[in-house]
Amino acid sequence: MLIVLATATYSQQTLGEYIEVDASGKSTFTNDILMSDSGATTIEIRPTLNTTIISGQSNVPTAVTVGICPGYSLPIWNSDNEELYFDIAVPQRWDGASDITAHIHCLLASAQDANAHTFQLQLTWDKFTTDDNEIVPASGEHDVGVNTNTAISANQYTSYSVDFTINYDVDTPDDILARDNLLVRIRRITETGDNTEIAGEVIITHLGLVFNRDKIGE
């Protein structure tokens, strides 16, 4: 059985009924609905920031607000708690067979001089499967670093977008699964490019995780 809405095609994921329509015309999905063709899309979910760690470290990193844009200002990490921790339950709407993109928005805390500059952010991730009573890993996490080049003479509060790839099957057969706890840490580290380190700090304003979505459901 297929339901066709516009150009998107939706198909049944499991055997049995999966949509109920009451007398008022209200539809209720009783199982996840697979999406194919142009119906498949992406979904960006903002993971939970662990503010308890920040408050327990005397409010490090420093919270800042630029206009009405809040964020946390990161110097280069030096074993000094200048880092951000996040976690998320991997959504069942994810297709379960593609890498995940971590998408960061950030600002320069200071204006730059008339030279090319670079900053590097590092995303560290790990996961565990609670459905299997898996032991939370104490080591073996994965680091992904991305250099970002700034504009020459970049103004204070110039914004940048930085993307990281989370390789879902890097630990095959222990792949990332729907409903896993996905853990993320963000640090700023020393740049490894060809340019000079930026002056000042980097303000992190947003982290979103982008999943390829192929179903309607949880």
Side-chain angles (χ1 to χ4, degrees):
M1 179 177 181
L2 296 177
I3 301 174
V4 180
L5 301 178
T7 59
T9 301
Y10 300 81
S11 61
Q12 182 179 0
Q13 182 184 10
T14 57
L15 296 176
E17 295 299 324
Y18 61 95
I19 185 169
E20 297 175 353
V21 182
D22 64 18
S24 68
K26 179 181 177 180
S27 299
T28 302
F29 295 111
T30 59
N31 288 300
D32 288 341
I33 307 298
L34 288 178
M35 300 189 294
S36 59
D37 303 326
S38 58
T41 184
T42 60
I43 181 170
E44 180 170 347
I45 301 176
R46 190 165 189 169
T48 302
L49 171 64
N50 192 319
T51 56
T52 301
I53 292 178
I54 295 172
S55 60
Q57 296 169 164
S58 301
N59 295 316
V60 174
T62 302
V64 296
T65 303
V66 180
I68 61 171
C69 178
Y72 287 90
S73 190
L74 297 183
I76 294 175
W77 182 81
N78 186 27
S79 301
D80 51 9
N81 299 322
E82 297 281 3
E83 55 200 355
L84 298 169
Y85 288 85
F86 302 82
D87 70 88
I88 189 174
V90 176
Q92 292 186 197
R93 289 166 286 176
W94 174 49
D95 65 13
S98 60
D99 292 339
I100 301 160
T101 299
H103 183 66
I104 288 180
H105 297 171
C106 57
L107 317 174
L108 298 179
S110 303
Q112 306 300 306
D113 62 25
N115 293 295
H117 294 281
T118 301
F119 64 88
Q120 182 170 172
L121 298 177
Q122 181 190 68
L123 179 145
T124 299
W125 68 270
D126 211 337
K127 67 92 180 177
F128 61 95
T129 305
T130 52
D131 289 349
D132 294 339
N133 302 122
E134 191 171 281
I135 296 173
V136 177
S139 61
E141 60 271 11
H142 301 280
D143 296 326
V144 185
V146 174
N147 279 317
T148 299
N149 296 323
T150 69
I152 293 176
S153 301
N155 293 324
Q156 183 183 32
Y157 304 139
T158 298
S159 60
Y160 292 89
S161 178
V162 185
D163 286 344
F164 304 80
T165 298
I166 296 176
N167 187 342
Y168 84 102
D169 61 353
V170 68
D171 292 324
T172 296
D174 188 22
D175 298 347
I176 296 175
L177 303 173
R179 296 170 55 89
D180 276 359
N181 280 71
L182 183 57
L183 313 170
V184 173
R185 182 184 67 207
I186 300 297
R187 290 174 176 169
R188 178 184 164 205
I189 61 174
T190 303
E191 64 88 19
T192 56
D194 298 326
N195 299 326
T196 305
E197 191 78 54
I198 64 165
E201 300 186 354
V202 176
I203 302 170
I204 307 298
T205 62
H206 170 81
L207 169 64
L209 297 181
V210 182
F211 299 86
N212 287 334
R213 172 183 177 176
D214 71 342
K215 60 185 73 70
I216 297 173
E218 196 177 332

